[in-house]
Amino acid sequence: NAEAVQTALEATYHVNVTLLGETWEGLTPAQQLRLYHEHQYHVTVHGAHEANVIVARPGTRVVELQCLHPADPHPRIDATQNDDNDVDWYGPPSWFSMFSRRMGMEHTVYGESTGCTSANGQAGVHRSTHVRITNVTALVTLIARRFELLAKEV
């Protein structure tokens, strides 16, 4: 449901969102690395492609999306259970956020356990490259705060 997030962001904030989706898989490794280096803001699903953050510049901001599984041994914050205090949404470290934060990037982990599904409909599977977020409003609010987006005049 990336299109729903894109629509909500572009309708509410001064931002242009580019969705890569299936296009990502057709890019060469050099093109993928260039995207991570050239762009200051990234919203991405948890996955191996996040290793590309190694070439991102200090100050880059990343929001990593995950579906949470109740049996996951690593404690994580479920953003659907949180209030409007996005300080708590900064999230516990994921494997990728541990090194990106050390390289001077702001890396936020956004997770949902209730209703979040992988593209094939599996509930609570966070290790999927296709995730359907149920609380689009919460995610858009988090992205806007983390990326310091300016709201459009009403």
Side-chain angles (χ1 to χ4, degrees), residues 61 86-87 89-90 106 108 142-148:
R61 297 178 186 197
D86 71 308
V87 173
W89 285 358
Y90 191 68
E106 181 180 306
T108 304
L142 173 77
I143 291 169
R145 288 181 181 168
R146 290 297 176 206
F147 294 176
E148 298 177 356

Side-chain angles (χ1 to χ4, degrees), residues 53-69:
V53 78
I54 196 85
V55 299
R57 295 168 289 164
T60 296
R61 297 178 186 197
V62 178
V63 173
E64 175 184 341
L65 310 177
Q66 296 186 6
C67 285
L68 306 180
H69 191 281

Side-chain angles (χ1 to χ4, degrees), residues 104-117:
M105 295 170 224
E106 181 180 306
H107 192 127
T108 304
V109 178
Y110 176 90
E112 287 185 358
S113 59
T114 307
C116 186
T117 61

